[in-house]
Amino acid sequence: MKLEHIGIAVKSLGISDELFSKLLGTESYKKETVEREGVVTSFYAAGESKIELLEASREESPISRFIDKKGEGIHHLAFGVENILYEVARLKKEGFEFISEEPKEGADNKLIVFLHPKCTNGVLVELCQEKQ
Ligand code: ZN
């Protein structure tokens, strides 16, 4: 597995895009809304990994719930895998729990699943596989 990206929950992409462009010295290379997940995403290249800014696209989005509870900040770590179904089966055997085991379409041409943070030291972990 490699660290594919770090997801950061933000209140306003307008403000945070400006901040992260300055910080990383590069513009966002992609913006994408994933309506089913209630998020607008903005991606930055950072070496071999990426930064994914996440803004709520509607009021009852998981991102607004997260920000209400914890404030803005790191939301999840995403690990890139070659075969997501294999990794889900492997990790289930190891006793990990998933928020939903069925891979679904995420942003950036990926299939994604999330592990339950209660089994990963409170860190929300995403597995992602490039869609063929
Ligand atoms: Zn992500």
Side-chain angles (χ1 to χ4, degrees), residues 48-120:
E48 294 192 10
S49 298
K50 300 164 190 162
I51 300 292
E52 174 187 37
L53 301 183
L54 302 150
E55 180 194 64
S57 68
R58 52 173 189 260
E59 247 175 63
E60 74 284 18
S61 159
I63 294 302
S64 28
R65 287 202 299 273
F66 177 89
I67 290 176
D68 286 347
K69 254 168 67 180
K70 302 189 174 173
E72 293 181 293
I74 293 181
H75 177 261
H76 65 271
L77 301 183
F79 294 101
V81 300
E82 295 285 313
N83 183 334
I84 198 163
L85 293 174
Y86 171 84
E87 292 298 337
V88 168
R90 182 180 73 82
L91 292 171
K92 271 176 70 183
K93 232 182 268 173
E94 296 285 359
F96 290 92
E97 289 176 42
F98 289 80
I99 291 177
S100 154
E101 287 171 21
E102 189 69 37
K104 49 190 179 177
E105 290 190 19
D108 205 24
N109 196 41
K110 299 276 198 297
L111 290 173
I112 63 170
V113 290
F114 285 98
L115 279 86
H116 201 291
K118 74 181 177 191
C119 64
T120 47

